[in-house]
Amino acid sequence: MASPETPQPGQTRMLFLGDDGLADGFRLIGFEVHASPRPDDVERVLRELQREREHAFVIVDDAIMRAEIPALQQVLDEGGRIVVIAVPPLSAPAQLSSSVAERLAAMFGNVGAAR
């Protein structure tokens, strides 16, 4: 049986890149985890996914989504084999940063703010 660190050929890799406080939860559900990565680490991981033409579901924390990381921007612009979503930090109110979240906010307003 393969571990989450070594997916079988043809499988979709599931990765979490972000805050150490969220890493254990994603590790427990089988994600490949890169806890508290530096921007150049995120760049390297995403470039590897692109180079190997792998399918991947990537969850990043909100800080990484807002960072200026060229490979991340390229993956977001291209879409396709690599799907990236962001999660907010545990200590902050839920406020997602993505093009989909921005479009939804433009259409419906900030529906999560009235809690």
Side-chain angles (χ1 to χ4, degrees), residues 22-91:
L22 294 169
D24 285 339
F26 283 101
R27 189 177 288 115
L28 285 171
I29 59 173
F31 275 69
E32 175 183 332
V33 169
H34 299 267
S36 300
R38 296 183 323 258
D40 59 321
D41 294 329
V42 176
E43 178 80 13
R44 180 186 46 76
V45 168
L46 294 174
R47 291 286 178 213
E48 175 188 315
L49 291 172
Q50 291 174 314
R51 184 179 59 252
E52 299 297 324
R53 303 193 49 78
E54 293 188 73
H55 292 263
F57 176 60
V58 181
I59 298 177
V60 298
D61 67 23
D62 204 41
I64 289 174
M65 185 64 90
R66 289 190 314 266
E68 292 182 18
I69 301 172
L72 176 58
Q73 192 57 53
Q74 184 178 10
V75 166
L76 292 170
D77 289 345
E78 289 177 358
R81 293 182 331 276
I82 304 170
V83 175
V84 179
I85 65 166
V87 293
L90 291 174
S91 60

